Amino acid sequence: MAFVKDMLRMWAHSWKRFISIAMITLLGVAVLTGIYAGCRDAFRSTDRFFDAQGLHDVQVLSTAGLSNGDIAALRKVNGVAKVQAERSQEVTFDLDGRKSATMQEIGTNGIDQPYLQEGRMPKKAGEIAVTRKFIRDSGKHIGSRLTVTPESASSDTSDTSDTNGADGTNETNGTDEAPSFPTKLTIVGVVLDPQNLSNPDGYSAMTSFRSTATTDYTFFAPSDGVTGTLCTSATLLVKGAAAESTFDESYENTVKQVTDRIDGTVKTDRQKARRQELLDAGNRKIADARAEADKKFADAQSQIDANRQQFNQQVDQIVSMQAGAAAAGAAANGANAGAAAAAGATTPQLDETTRETMRETIIAASPELTQAKQQLDQAQSQLNEQKASTEQTLKTKENELKTSIPQVRWYVQDRQSLGGFSALKSDLDSIQSLGNAFPIVFLLVAVMMSLTAMARMVEEDRSLIGTYVGLGYGRLAVASRYLLFALLACLIGGGLGLLVGFLGIPAFLLVVLQGMYVMPGLRLEYDWLYGSLGIALFVVGVLAATIYACVQEMRQTPASLLRPKAPRAGSRILLERLRPVWNRMGFLSKVTARNIFRFKSRLIMTVGGVAGCTALIVCGLAINDTVADLGIKQYRDIYQYDLMVVSDDSDASAMRTKVASDGRVTSSLDVRIESGDLAISGGGDGDSGKAGSSGSESIQLVAVPEKHLSDLGEMVTLQPVSSGMLGTSGVGKTGSLKLDDDGVIVAQSAASALGVKAGSKVRLTNGDGVRATAKVSAVNRNLIGSDVYVSETYYAKLFDSKDAKNTKNSKSSEDSEALTWNAMLAKLSGSDTSQTDYAESLEEDSSVMKAVSCAHMADSFKFDLMGAVVALIVALAGGLALVVLFTLANTNVSERVREMATLKVLGFFDREVHHYVNREMMILTVMGVILGLPLGRLVGGMLTMALNMPSLYFEVEVKPLSYVIAAVATMAFALLVQLFVNPVLDRIDPISSLKSVE
C-alpha cells in the first residue's frame, strides 16, 4: 500500500511530464485519425448514397445506339444483376445565349435515380426535374415553363442516309426509332444527379472544355411522353458490388470481372450483329424503295399504255373510215350495182404497211393527233429515264451501303469515367495521403520527447529505485511505476485525441467538403479498430521509450543506485580548439557552449524535436504556396495567350468572324480542341473500347494547323521537363521545344500521373472516340489541365485509319486536311478586367460555346480543400512545437536544479538566471530551426509527389515568407515557453536543492 501511495505521490509531483506526454499523444492520435476519419466519413456517406440511388457500376455506349438484342445480350452476362436501357436526347434552348441540355429518361429499373431535393418527381409528359445548377444559372423556379428544341442529330446514334437504315432495326422486325421527348416543359422538382455531386455554389476548377457531345445541363423526364425504342446507352449493376465500398480496390476488381466478360465476347458479337442489323435494315429499305418504285412505274406504264391504246383506236377508226370511203368511190365509177353493194357492205382489207402509212398520214395531217402522239412518246421517254435513274441510284446505294455504315463500336465504362466521381475520389485520396504521412513525424517526435521526459523522471528517482530494489521489490514492479505513468498519460491523451480525431477534425473537413460536393446523409462515424490501433501505436512507442529509460538505470546494482550519479567527465569541445574565437568569448558564453555541446543527448533531442516541428510547419506552408501559385504560373507564365474561345464545328466560322469584328485581338492562332483520353500503351491496340479505366487521364487534345506550328510557341510557353527527385523537375530552356509531325507533346500533369516520358508510346483517343497509338516526342511544363498538342499532319496520320474513316464524323482521306478549327487562342489588348468582361460577353454569343479569360482564371483559381487541410496541419504542427518546447524546457530545468541553485548562491539575480538558462534553449531552438527549414522543404517535396491528382501537377514552391513564418512561429513558441519556465526557476530554493543526498 505504501508502494502505491508513493507511486501516486510521484505521479502527482510529475504532472507536467504527464501533461506533456498526454498532449503529444493527443496531437499524434488526432492527426492519425482525424484526416482518415474525415475522408472515411465522406467515402462511406457517398457510397451509401450511390447504393441508395442505384448509381450504375458499368455503362455501355455504342456509336449506333443499342437495340433490344443488345440489352438482352447484356442481361445474359454472368455477374450482371440489373440492366437498364437508357433513352436520352440532346436539346437546345435560349438562356442568355444558346445552351444545351440532355433530356434523360428516369430509369424504371432503379438505376441512376436522381435524388429529390425540392418539389416532386415528374410523372406526366412534359414535366421535368432539373438540377440546382440550372436553377442558379437560369433564375427559374418550380412551376416555370421552358421550351426546348431537339438537336438535329443524336450523338449516340449513327448518322447515315435515308436509305441505309440509320435508325437500325430491333431483334424481331420493324425499325428502331431514336428517342424523342416533349418540347414544352414544366419544372416540377429540383434533383441531385448521382453522377455528379459537385456543389454548383462551391468551387469548380475549369481545367477542361466541353466537346460538342457534352451538354450544359441535364433534365430528368418520366417515361410518359417519350417515344422511340432505340436506346442511347445501357447501365448495369454488378452482383456483389453494392456490398463493397465503391472507393476500395475490391469493388474495382468485382466490376472489372464483369467488364472483362463484356469486352471478351459480348461486345465483339454484338458490334457485328448490330452492324448487320443496320445493313439488313438498309437493304430492306432499298428493297422496299425498289418495290415501291416498280409499283409506281408499273402504274405509270399502265396509264401510258391505256392512253396509247385509246389513241391508236381513234386513229384506226379514221383509217377504216377513209379506206371504206375510197372503196365506195371506186365502185361508183365503173362497177355494176351488185359489186357496189358488195363493196359497201364490207370494209376493205389493208396490209400492215398500207395501214401504218395511212396512220402516219392521218396523224401528220391532224395537229391534235400529232400533239397527242408527242405527249405519249414524251411520257414514255420520261418514264424510261426515271426507271433507269432509279435503278442506277438503288444499285449505287447497294454498293455504298457497306462503306457508308460505320463499324459499330461499344464503349464499356465504369464509375471512374464519371467526372464527378473521379474528382471526389481523387480529392479524398490526396488528402488521405497527407493524413497517412504526417502522423509518422508526430510519432517520432512523441517517442523522442517521451524518452527525454521518462529518462529524466527515472534518473530523478535513482536513489528511490535503489531503495526499492534493495528492499526486495522486483525490477519489474519498480519499473511499473513509470510504465503505468506513461501508459495512463497515453490512454488519456489518446482518448482525447480520438474525440478530436473522430469529431473535431472530420467536422472541420466535412464543412469544407460540403462546400465542394453535395453529400446527402453525411454523418460522423467511429472506427473502433482504427482508433484502438491509433492509440496502441503511440502507447507502444512511448512505452518502448520508457522501458529503455528504466533498463538503462535498473541494470545497475542497488548500491550504485543509492549513490549519487557520478558527474560527466570533463572534456573539451571543438570550439575550444578554435583559440581566436574561444579566447574572445565571455565566461557565461563559454559555459553555455559547453552545456550545449557536451550533453549530446539533450542536444540531439532538442534540436531534433524543434527541427521536426519546424519541418511540419514549413511542409504545410510549402503545400499552401505550391497550390496558391498554380493559377498564376499556369495562366500567366505557361499560357501566353489571353483568351481561349471554343465553338461547335458548325459555328466555327461565325465564331472567328465575331472575334475578328470586335477588334480586340492583337494576334491569334486557330486550333482544334477536342476532349479525349490518354492512356498508357501496352494494353492492346486501343480498341478495347473501355474508357475511364485505370492508367488513363482525361485530356484536352489541341490540334495545330501545319502552317502555324511555329506560332504555338507564341501562345504557349514550350519548355521540356524531366522528372526530378523530391517534387522537383528539370525544366529546359524556354523555346527549345518545337511541335513537329513525329509525335505529340504531352502536358507534365498528365505525364507525371501516368509515368510517361519523351519517347513513350501512349494510347490517344480523340473527340470522336477513335483511338490510336501515338509517340510522345516531349513532355511540356504544365501545371493545370492536361493538354496534348498534335500537329495537323500527325493528327491525320493517327486518326485517318480505316477504322477512323468508318467512325462517325471522321474525315475521309480526300478531306482529311480540312480539319474544322473550332477554337482560337488569342492575345488581347486592354486590362485584365476588360479582358475578363470581354470573355463573358463572348459567351452570350450563340456561336460561342466557351470563352475563357486567362486573367480571370489566374485570379480565381483556388483549391479550398487543400488550403483547409494545410491550415489544419500547420495549426497542429504549431501545437506540437509548443508542447515539445515546453517538455524540453522543463526537462532541462529539472536536470540542472543544483546548477541553478549554485548560481543563486553565487549571487545571480533571477533575471540573470533566466538569461543563463533561456539563452541555451534559444540557441538550441535556432539550431533546430536552421535544420528544420530545409528538412521541411524536403518533406514538402515528397508529400507533393504523393498528391497525384487528375489534371494537376504540384510544382513545389516555398516562398521566403513561409520560411520566415515558420522560423518566427517556432521562436515565438520558444519565447512563450520561457514565460512558463521562468516562474519555475524563481521557485528553486538554493538550500533544499544543494542538500547532500548522502
Side-chain angles (χ1 to χ4, degrees):
M1 189 64 183
F3 180 82
V4 174
K5 288 183 178 180
D6 183 63
M7 179 177 64
L8 296 176
R9 190 180 299 113
M10 180 267 293
W11 289 3
H13 180 72
S14 303
W15 63 273
K16 293 180 182 178
R17 292 191 184 94
F18 188 91
I19 292 178
S20 297
I21 295 174
M23 286 300 298
I24 291 175
T25 306
L26 185 153
L27 293 173
V29 172
V31 172
L32 178 65
T33 59
I35 298 178
Y36 159 82
C39 295
R40 174 178 171 272
D41 292 340
F43 279 140
R44 287 197 169 188
S45 65
T46 51
D47 182 59
R48 287 193 299 267
F49 176 73
F50 290 155
D51 291 342
Q53 304 307 125
L55 181 65
H56 67 260
D57 298 313
V58 180
Q59 183 180 42
V60 179
L61 302 172
S62 173
T63 57
L66 297 172
S67 66
N68 294 335
D70 296 328
I71 303 300
L74 290 172
R75 287 195 175 98
K76 296 178 182 178
V77 176
N78 184 25
V80 173
K82 283 184 180 181
V83 177
Q84 179 172 284
E86 302 277 356
R87 293 187 294 178
S88 62
Q89 182 185 32
E90 292 184 11
V91 297
T92 60
F93 57 93
D94 183 32
L95 180 63
D96 296 330
R98 192 182 70 170
K99 298 293 183 181
S100 60
T102 298
M103 295 289 296
Q104 180 68 49
E105 179 187 16
I106 299 176
T108 57
N109 206 18
I111 302 178
D112 289 344
Q113 299 296 298
Y115 176 78
L116 183 63
Q117 294 179 302
E118 184 180 348
R120 63 176 177 84
M121 295 299 290
K123 298 178 180 179
K124 302 178 181 178
E127 295 181 342
I128 59 170
V130 300
T131 60
R132 182 74 64 186
K133 180 176 184 292
F134 176 78
I135 294 294
R136 185 201 63 180
D137 294 346
S138 65
K140 295 183 179 298
H141 52 81
I142 294 178
S144 297
R145 299 183 181 275
L146 181 69
T147 301
V148 298
T149 303
E151 289 280 9
S152 58
S154 174
S155 62
D156 295 303
T157 58
S158 61
D159 236 351
T160 52
S161 65
D162 292 337
T163 60
N164 65 2
D167 295 326
T169 59
N170 58 22
E171 196 67 19
T172 55
N173 51 20
T175 301
D176 286 337
E177 297 179 357
S180 178
F181 287 72
T183 57
K184 303 291 185 180
L185 307 176
T186 302
I187 301 174
V188 299
V190 179
V191 297
L192 173 64
D193 185 355
Q195 299 187 31
N196 185 6
L197 300 184
S198 298
N199 189 342
D201 300 317
Y203 167 73
S204 177
M206 297 173 60
T207 59
S208 62
F209 300 94
R210 294 185 177 92
S211 68
T212 56
T214 302
T215 55
D216 299 300
Y217 308 100
T218 300
F219 298 157
F220 296 91
S223 299
D224 186 20
V226 182
T227 60
T229 58
L230 190 66
C231 303
T232 52
S233 66
T235 52
L236 289 70
L237 293 182
V238 175
K239 293 180 181 178
E244 306 289 344
S245 173
T246 185
F247 302 98
D248 291 346
E249 186 177 355
S250 58
Y251 167 82
E252 296 178 1
N253 294 334
T254 301
V255 174
K256 188 177 185 299
Q257 293 177 3
V258 174
T259 57
D260 288 345
R261 294 189 188 108
I262 297 175
D263 283 330
T265 57
V266 177
K267 185 185 75 170
T268 304
D269 294 343
R270 290 309 307 171
Q271 284 179 163
K272 295 178 180 179
R274 180 60 178 153
R275 186 169 186 268
Q276 188 60 47
E277 290 175 10
L278 295 177
L279 290 173
D280 293 342
N283 288 324
R284 280 199 300 272
K285 282 196 172 184
I286 293 175
D288 292 342
R290 176 178 281 110
E292 183 178 357
D294 290 344
K295 182 178 182 300
K296 290 181 178 179
F297 292 148
D299 293 341
Q301 187 65 55
S302 298
Q303 183 65 37
I304 292 174
D305 292 344
N307 292 336
R308 189 175 294 277
Q309 182 180 6
Q310 183 179 0
F311 175 81
N312 291 334
Q313 289 175 353
Q314 184 178 357
V315 173
D316 289 341
Q317 184 178 4
I318 297 174
V319 169
S320 298
M321 291 174 63
Q322 289 183 356
N333 292 330
N336 53 37
T346 60
T347 301
Q349 297 295 322
L350 301 176
D351 58 63
E352 189 64 30
T353 302
T354 304
R355 180 178 292 277
E356 188 63 31
T357 301
M358 292 182 66
R359 287 169 57 84
E360 292 178 356
T361 303
I362 293 171
I363 294 172
S366 173
E368 291 82 0
L369 292 177
T370 301
Q371 182 179 3
K373 184 176 183 301
Q374 290 176 350
Q375 290 177 348
L376 287 172
D377 292 342
Q378 184 179 3
Q380 185 65 53
S381 176
Q382 291 177 350
L383 180 61
N384 293 337
E385 290 178 358
Q386 289 178 0
K387 282 183 178 181
S389 176
T390 301
E391 185 62 25
Q392 182 63 34
T393 299
L394 293 175
K395 287 183 177 180
T396 301
K397 290 188 177 297
E398 285 179 340
N399 296 331
E400 293 178 349
L401 183 60
K402 290 186 177 181
T403 57
S404 62
I405 293 181
Q407 295 291 339
V408 177
R409 305 176 74 87
W410 274 23
Y411 295 101
V412 184
Q413 302 175 339
D414 56 20
R415 290 182 182 178
Q416 295 291 336
S417 64
L418 301 177
F421 175 87
S422 59
L424 174 62
K425 185 176 186 299
S426 176
D427 284 346
L428 294 178
D429 284 342
S430 299
I431 300 306
Q432 198 167 35
S433 66
L434 291 180
N436 295 335
F438 274 96
I440 297 175
V441 181
F442 277 78
L443 178 61
L444 293 176
V445 173
V447 172
M448 291 173 60
M449 294 304 100
S450 299
L451 180 60
T452 300
M454 297 309 299
R456 180 56 195 165
M457 184 176 181
V458 173
E459 186 177 338
E460 287 179 353
D461 289 346
R462 174 185 176 88
S463 59
L464 184 59
I465 292 174
T467 301
Y468 279 125
V469 174
L471 291 175
Y473 286 89
R475 281 180 168 78
L476 180 60
V478 177
S480 65
R481 294 158 48 93
Y482 310 100
L483 293 175
L484 291 175
F485 177 85
L487 176 62
L488 185 61
C490 284
L491 292 178
I492 293 177
L496 296 175
L498 292 180
L499 293 177
V500 177
F502 282 98
L503 295 178
I505 295 178
F508 169 76
L509 289 179
L510 294 179
V511 168
V512 179
L513 279 171
Q514 286 178 316
M516 300 174 63
Y517 301 98
V518 179
M519 293 181 286
L522 187 63
R523 64 174 182 261
L524 302 179
E525 298 181 29
Y526 180 71
D527 187 337
W528 287 98
L529 178 61
Y530 195 85
S532 302
L533 291 178
I535 295 180
L537 184 63
F538 280 84
V539 166
V540 170
V542 173
L543 288 183
T546 304
I547 291 173
Y548 176 81
C550 292
V551 170
Q552 289 295 103
E553 289 293 334
M554 294 183 184
R555 64 184 178 181
Q556 303 179 45
T557 63
S560 299
L561 291 172
L562 288 171
R563 290 194 298 269
K565 189 174 183 179
R568 182 182 297 272
S571 60
R572 290 177 179 270
I573 62 175
L574 180 61
L575 192 59
E576 293 185 48
R577 304 181 187 280
L578 302 177
R579 289 298 177 181
V581 178
W582 184 259
N583 291 336
R584 286 173 172 78
M585 293 175 63
F587 171 74
L588 291 179
S589 298
K590 292 179 179 180
V591 172
T592 301
R594 281 177 173 160
N595 286 337
I596 290 175
F597 294 106
R598 283 182 62 204
F599 300 97
K600 300 293 191 302
S601 61
R602 186 172 66 194
L603 171 66
I604 293 174
M605 292 295 179
T606 304
V607 174
V610 174
C613 297
T614 305
L616 286 176
I617 298 176
V618 172
C619 181
L621 295 175
I623 298 175
N624 184 70
D625 291 343
T626 298
V627 173
D629 283 351
L630 283 178
I632 296 175
K633 289 181 178 180
Q634 181 69 34
Y635 297 108
R636 296 194 183 277
D637 184 12
I638 298 176
Y639 287 165
Q640 296 297 310
Y641 60 83
D642 301 314
L643 176 72
M644 174 182 281
V645 189
V646 184
S647 71
D648 285 322
D649 287 356
S650 59
D651 297 326
S653 178
M655 177 269 291
R656 286 193 293 271
T657 302
K658 164 64 178 174
V659 175
S661 64
D662 292 335
R664 295 290 305 274
V665 176
T666 59
S667 62
S668 64
L669 174 64
D670 292 337
V671 296
R672 176 167 183 79
I673 289 181
E674 300 176 353
S675 294
D677 186 78
L678 182 72
I680 302 173
S681 184
D685 60 358
D687 194 27
S688 66
K690 183 173 180 179
S693 58
S694 59
S696 66
E697 285 284 328
S698 297
I699 60 161
Q700 183 170 274
L701 186 62
V702 183
V704 183
E706 195 67 26
K707 297 180 181 179
H708 300 283
L709 294 181
S710 59
D711 296 338
L712 180 61
E714 299 296 325
M715 295 294 172
V716 180
T717 301
L718 298 178
Q719 289 180 278
V721 294
S722 57
S723 299
M725 296 180 62
L726 305 178
T728 63
S729 58
V731 182
K733 182 179 179 182
T734 301
S736 61
L737 183 59
K738 301 292 184 183
L739 180 62
D740 53 34
D741 299 332
D742 295 331
V744 299
I745 297 178
V746 179
Q748 185 179 15
S749 49
S752 175
L754 297 176
V756 172
K757 59 183 179 181
S760 299
K761 296 288 186 179
V762 295
R763 190 185 67 202
L764 197 61
T765 307
N766 71 355
D768 293 326
V770 182
R771 301 183 180 188
T773 300
K775 176 186 175 183
V776 178
S777 60
V779 176
N780 183 51
R781 178 172 177 254
N782 196 85
L783 308 180
I784 302 176
S786 296
D787 298 331
V788 174
Y789 300 100
V790 59
S791 68
E792 180 182 4
T793 300
Y794 196 60
Y795 181 97
K797 179 181 178 181
L798 290 176
F799 301 116
D800 279 352
S801 62
K802 179 179 179 181
D803 287 341
K805 293 175 186 176
N806 291 332
T807 303
K808 175 190 167 189
N809 294 333
S810 66
K811 304 283 186 286
S812 65
S813 58
E814 288 79 6
D815 61 0
S816 61
E817 296 179 358
L819 280 176
T820 301
W821 308 113
N822 66 340
M824 174 189 291
L825 309 180
K827 293 184 178 181
L828 302 178
S829 59
S831 63
D832 290 351
T833 303
S834 65
Q835 292 177 9
T836 301
D837 294 339
Y838 178 59
E840 292 177 352
S841 66
L842 280 178
E843 285 203 324
E844 298 177 1
D845 190 89
S846 60
S847 64
V848 176
M849 183 169 64
K850 199 68 182 177
V852 177
S853 167
C854 286
H856 173 69
M857 294 300 297
D859 295 337
S860 62
F861 183 86
K862 296 179 181 179
F863 200 166
D864 296 338
L865 179 58
M866 187 64 70
V869 174
V870 166
L872 176 65
I873 290 174
V874 170
L876 292 173
L880 180 64
L882 183 62
V883 174
V884 166
L885 289 170
F886 178 80
T887 301
L888 293 173
N890 277 282
T891 302
N892 184 35
V893 171
S894 65
E895 288 177 343
R896 304 168 63 185
V897 172
R898 293 175 62 84
E899 182 183 353
M900 301 300 104
T902 302
L903 292 176
K904 288 190 174 185
V905 171
L906 292 176
F908 278 66
F909 292 103
D910 287 343
R911 183 173 298 177
E912 292 174 323
V913 175
H914 298 169
H915 180 69
Y916 176 81
V917 175
N918 293 332
R919 180 167 58 176
E920 293 180 16
M921 284 299 302
M922 292 303 294
I923 292 174
L924 290 172
T925 302
V926 170
M927 293 172 64
V929 169
I930 294 174
L931 180 62
L933 294 179
L935 180 62
R937 170 61 179 79
L938 190 70
V939 176
M942 292 187 291
L943 285 178
T944 51
M945 287 181 65
L947 296 177
N948 185 16
M949 303 183 69
S951 302
L952 285 177
Y953 177 82
F954 293 94
E955 191 175 71
V956 184
E957 175 77 16
V958 186
K959 296 179 180 178
L961 181 61
S962 296
Y963 287 119
V964 173
I965 292 175
V968 170
T970 306
M971 298 304 296
F973 289 141
L975 293 174
L976 181 61
V977 168
Q978 290 182 12
L979 300 178
F980 295 100
V981 173
N982 290 339
V984 178
L985 295 174
D986 295 339
R987 289 194 296 268
I988 295 178
D989 182 16
I991 298 176
S992 60
S993 299
L994 291 174
K995 284 182 179 179
S996 174
V997 296
E998 300 291 344

